[in-house]
Structures are given as structure tokens and as C-alpha cells.
Amino acid sequence: MGFESLWMFDWLGTVLPVFFVVVLGIVVLSAGREVMEWSRNKRQPVLTVGSRITARRTHLQQRRQEEQGTRTYTFYYVTFEVESGDRMEFKVSGEEYGQCAEGDEGRLTFQGTRYIGFQRLNRYSLEQVKM
């Protein structure tokens, strides 16, 4: 029982701290990436451009929790085509998503990769402008 039982304590003494450092590193890198993206967006100008909604999509994610069971999260995305022909996809709230329809035209406001808002042009006023 002497030598055979000691190897387990040596293994826990080296592997467990390494595992902890790796997990902590992943958390720090993820948080750092979010802070860098926020900082990059903050330096960008707020732009408002004419655009058209070309697509909408949702992404469902399920997480299992101990006491509550499975919890489902829904993420909403809208793709805009701007005047230059470029397409940009933004994560939006469920309320914004519900108000958007493919083909809607309006003014998209964003800052870097951060969605700020979309102001739809009234279809009635669009028909008057085209005449």
C-alpha cells in the first residue's frame, strides 16, 4: 500500500492544477475577445445607410441545467443588403426580429458589428416616391 497509493496523489497534484489553468485561460481569452470587440466597435463611427432586409434566421441552443431540466435559448439574426451591395448580418432582439420581414426597405444604423436599429420606410411613402 506504500508506493502504489502515492502515485494517485502525485497525479492529482500535477494534472488538476494544469486542468484548472487551462479552463481559466479559456475563460480569460473569451472575456478578452468580447472586450476587444466592444472596444473596436466603440472606435467605429455610427453609420446610417439605406438597406433592404434579405434574410432572417433563428438559432436555437439548449442547455441542460441540474434542477430546472433543459432550457432553450433563441437567438435572432437579420441580414441586410446595403446600398453598396454588401450584406451584413446582425444579432437582434426577438421584438426587432418579429417586426422585420424580408424585402423591407429602410435605414439601417450600426456601429462596427453592433446593430443599433432599423427604421422601416412606409410602403405607401415608397410608392409615392417611385411615382
Side-chain angles (χ1 to χ4, degrees), residues 57-88:
R57 71 178 179 96
T58 59
H59 174 72
L60 295 175
Q61 186 176 50
Q62 290 185 342
R63 291 188 184 155
R64 185 157 180 78
Q65 297 177 339
E66 292 291 325
E67 296 174 10
Q68 293 89 7
T70 302
R71 179 140 186 198
T72 303
Y73 298 91
T74 306
F75 300 97
Y76 301 96
Y77 298 91
V78 177
T79 302
F80 297 91
E81 183 175 325
V82 296
E83 296 165 336
S84 65
D86 293 333
R87 291 186 178 196
M88 296 183 286

Side-chain angles (χ1 to χ4, degrees), residues 12 14-16 27 34 36 41 49 51 84-85 95 102 115:
L12 286 176
T14 54
V15 173
L16 202 57
V27 169
E34 292 293 325
M36 286 180 58
N41 283 339
V49 295
S51 64
S84 65
E95 183 179 343
E102 289 184 21
Y115 172 82

